[in-house]
Amino acid sequence: ESVLSQTVKNTEIICVDDASTDNTPQILKTYENKMTVITNTENCMAGESRNRGFEKASGEYVIFLDADDVYEPDMLQKAYDKAKYCGSDICIFKEDLFSDSIGNRTNYAYAESIMQDFGKRDFFSPKELSDMLFGLWNGWAWDKLFRREFILETGLKFQNLKSSNDGLFVHAALASAERISLLNEVLVHHRLGNGNSVSNTRDRSWE
């Protein structure tokens, strides 16, 4: 619902049903006129599902969203506006955390002085942060908007792993970009304590 409530209207929504065994297909049926649904015949895991979704995408910019987060209504509009204005390959924004209630959120521990500095700029190069680039942001994709042609040019794909499949994709993209923009504001609320979240399987897929 938070995706469908975005203020920017010219969007393409692609939902990948990764061979779900619950009532996901029935739920998606009620949204069939609002999004494209890709149904995997067997469980491919999140990385390959993201790759399949990206192959169908035709937009100027893409973002890879997960089912366990909540998005501010102007998330895509703000990220797109800054990325487009600055000619950025990637636009990053901030998150906060919640467990039981979206109304009871806690801050994520960012390096605030750096966030303020780079948030005031149109864009920056990864070379400017080469000693800390991989430590400032997590290796997940749902707080970053990517220029689609940039991803095609780099040939980046998500790994076919059960967990942490986005780490290589995100960090390689950050290192490969010419221009990265930062929105120093919270636009996504990340849910903690979801037992079904892929992030909770890392201890069972350490490799």
Side-chain angles (χ1 to χ4, degrees):
E1 290 295 334
S2 67
V3 173
L4 292 171
S5 299
Q6 291 295 304
T7 56
V8 59
K9 298 305 180 184
N10 188 21
T11 59
E12 176 186 44
I13 301 173
I14 300 171
C15 182
V16 183
D17 176 4
D18 191 23
S20 59
T21 57
D22 56 10
N23 64 338
T24 293
Q26 289 74 31
I27 295 174
L28 289 176
K29 188 74 174 176
T30 66
Y31 293 100
E32 61 183 357
N33 63 332
K34 298 179 180 179
M35 63 181 68
T36 298
V37 176
I38 299 173
T39 302
N40 295 339
T41 56
E42 59 182 9
N43 185 257
C44 299
M45 299 185 287
E48 178 57 24
S49 294
R50 290 188 175 105
N51 292 334
R52 293 183 179 190
F54 179 75
E55 289 174 0
K56 294 290 186 181
S58 60
E60 186 179 7
Y61 285 85
V62 295
I63 190 168
F64 302 90
L65 304 177
D66 290 346
D68 55 353
D69 302 311
V70 179
Y71 310 98
E72 285 294 310
D74 55 359
M75 175 190 72
L76 290 179
Q77 186 71 67
K78 287 183 174 179
Y80 172 76
D81 286 348
K82 182 149 190 176
K84 183 69 174 177
Y85 174 77
C86 303
S88 304
D89 295 317
I90 306 171
C91 181
I92 309 172
F93 43 88
K94 294 169 69 175
E95 66 179 273
D96 59 18
L97 313 170
F98 75 98
S99 294
D100 298 327
S101 170
I102 188 68
N104 186 22
R105 304 193 299 270
T106 57
N107 293 329
Y108 184 83
Y110 288 101
E112 290 299 341
S113 60
I114 296 177
M115 298 298 113
Q116 291 180 15
D117 180 24
F118 284 88
K120 294 175 183 176
R121 299 169 54 174
D122 286 345
F123 62 87
F124 58 91
S125 164
K127 294 179 181 180
E128 298 178 60
L129 293 169
S130 59
D131 58 339
M132 65 180 78
L133 181 66
F134 297 159
L136 290 175
W137 299 281
N138 285 295
W140 42 52
W142 41 257
D143 59 352
K144 302 169 185 73
L145 188 73
F146 301 90
R147 187 169 62 86
R148 189 172 67 89
E149 286 297 323
F150 162 69
I151 299 301
L152 291 173
E153 291 163 4
T154 58
L156 289 172
K157 291 184 179 296
F158 291 92
Q159 291 178 289
N160 190 20
L161 300 173
K162 186 173 182 60
S163 180
S164 303
N165 59 80
D166 45 359
L168 177 62
F169 178 96
V170 169
H171 289 123
L174 289 172
S176 302
E178 292 187 9
R179 294 185 176 191
I180 302 173
S181 294
L182 171 66
L183 280 169
N184 188 29
E185 58 182 298
V186 172
L187 295 176
V188 57
H189 313 296
H190 181 48
R191 186 191 306 271
L192 300 175
N194 181 355
N196 295 320
S197 176
V198 171
S199 62
N200 289 324
T201 66
R202 291 187 185 123
D203 60 341
R204 300 194 298 274
S205 54
W206 55 268
E207 71 278 8

